[in-house]
Amino acid sequence: MDVWPWLSAALLLLLLLVQLSRSAKFYAKIGLYCALCFTVSIVAAATCLLRHGGRTVENMSIISWFVRSFKYLYGLRFEIKGRQRLDEDRSCVIISNHQSILDMMGLMEALPDRCVQIAKRELLFLGPVGLIMYLGGVIFINRQRSQTAVSALADVGERMVREKLKVWIYPEGTRNDNGDLLPFKKGAFYLAIQAQVPIVPVVYSSFSSFYDSRTKLFTSGTIKVEVLDAVPTRGLTVADIPRLMDTCYQAMRTSFFSISKTPQENGAPAGPAAQPAQ
């Protein structure tokens, strides 16, 4: 039995469904994004191994080049303000808001040299994606064991000063598309104070004008990125963490509402006077 007519018919039906159904189009784009991540991870891993022979932060420039190409396929544009603050020749902790799986494109678009990310340990086991993260020097933390995580952050602090690294962290700790920022967790601020390096906040505008998983919206759009002034930590101690968290939270939240096209969608008042970091 010839299967090609059936495959052709199924493909045509799928294409028609994608054109007619908003949900089908959304899931097709997400599926393509995941397939791209896995495929590109294999190619980028081979390139990294051929170029540098193993795990090193220098591989991040190769990974970034591959991921930045995704934006052309999805019709996304990035407008970055204050990029020079990321490129300064110093160690620092970079913090940014975390909205969806598309954040990887935004991260790679703004990623400075000698910068690694901190990620949950579970991502290490995502096949080729985990492999390319490992080769790029991503630091994996077991968030289920707080004592282990604190010890790992102490090691990261020593390493980032010794190797003059920048470390990128999502202080919300999880993806958040509710139109506001979640309260921050302490890890990034503990790391910055422990290493006595500045914190550089990076704010991405709301994706909701072109991407919304609840309404199955996924179109082209422009993402505004604002790199805020560095917040110094020299001389601060662990006792200063709550104040430092709140300073960064309020600055990032104000910027988020300023550069986003749409207001909050969760019914909370839009403005800088809402919930502080916890």
Side-chain angles (χ1 to χ4, degrees):
M1 180 179 179
D2 191 357
V3 298
W4 288 110
W6 292 100
L7 289 175
S8 300
L11 180 59
L12 288 173
L13 181 62
L14 178 61
L15 291 174
L16 179 63
L17 185 62
V18 166
Q19 291 300 316
L20 296 178
S21 169
R22 179 162 162 168
S23 293
K25 185 178 295 186
F26 176 85
Y27 286 116
K29 286 188 172 183
I30 292 295
L32 176 61
Y33 182 79
C34 294
L36 277 173
C37 288
F38 275 80
T39 304
V40 166
S41 292
I42 295 172
V43 178
T47 306
C48 290
L49 288 171
L50 289 172
R51 181 73 181 273
H52 296 121
R55 176 178 167 89
T56 170
V57 67
E58 305 301 332
N59 284 328
M60 288 308 305
S61 61
I62 297 174
I63 299 167
S64 176
W65 183 87
F66 277 101
V67 176
R68 288 200 310 272
S69 64
F70 290 11
K71 65 185 176 187
Y72 302 111
L73 183 62
Y74 285 93
L76 298 178
R77 293 180 62 246
F78 291 88
E79 297 178 357
I80 304 179
K81 178 181 177 182
R83 178 179 227 130
Q84 70 279 2
R85 298 184 179 116
L86 289 175
D87 294 329
E88 292 187 25
D89 186 23
R90 64 182 177 187
S91 297
C92 64
V93 173
I94 303 169
I95 59 174
S96 66
N97 52 319
H98 193 13
Q99 299 181 69
S100 78
I101 60 173
L102 303 183
D103 286 338
M104 182 179 66
M105 281 193 284
L107 184 150
M108 293 302 174
E109 191 71 25
L111 193 77
D113 291 337
R114 299 198 59 75
C115 181
V116 297
Q117 300 82 54
I118 287 186
K120 58 184 179 182
R121 186 172 176 269
E122 292 83 352
L123 295 178
L124 179 59
F125 306 104
L126 283 181
V129 174
L131 172 62
I132 196 61
M133 292 176 72
Y134 171 81
L135 290 174
V138 171
I139 300 164
F140 298 97
I141 300 290
N142 187 349
R143 297 190 303 183
Q144 305 302 318
R145 299 182 179 180
S146 58
Q147 291 300 322
T148 302
V150 169
S151 175
L153 286 176
D155 293 338
V156 172
E158 294 176 3
R159 180 185 165 197
M160 68 185 297
V161 172
R162 182 176 66 250
E163 300 180 22
K164 214 169 187 179
L165 297 176
K166 297 177 173 70
V167 176
W168 194 300
I169 303 177
Y170 295 113
E172 292 170 284
T174 189
R175 296 173 192 159
N176 166 44
D177 62 354
N178 72 352
D180 200 349
L181 302 186
L182 293 176
F184 289 168
K185 299 183 182 299
K186 296 180 179 180
F189 307 92
Y190 174 87
L191 173 61
I193 287 177
Q194 191 265 343
Q196 292 288 281
V197 297
I199 296 174
V200 181
V202 178
V203 184
Y204 291 84
S205 61
S206 173
F207 294 174
S208 61
S209 63
F210 66 89
Y211 177 90
D212 190 324
S213 59
R214 290 164 295 188
T215 62
K216 303 300 180 284
L217 171 70
F218 196 169
T219 62
S220 58
T222 298
I223 302 166
K224 293 185 177 180
V225 186
E226 187 169 12
V227 184
L228 306 183
D229 289 330
V231 180
T233 65
R234 187 163 298 280
L236 299 185
T237 67
V238 173
D240 296 302
I241 286 179
R243 179 170 57 85
L244 181 62
M245 291 171 65
D246 190 61
T247 296
C248 294
Y249 180 89
Q250 296 298 345
M252 291 178 65
R253 193 167 184 271
T254 299
S255 173
F256 178 75
F257 288 122
S258 174
I259 64 177
S260 296
K261 286 186 177 180
T262 58
Q264 282 177 269
E265 300 175 353
N266 62 356
Q275 63 190 38
Q278 296 177 358

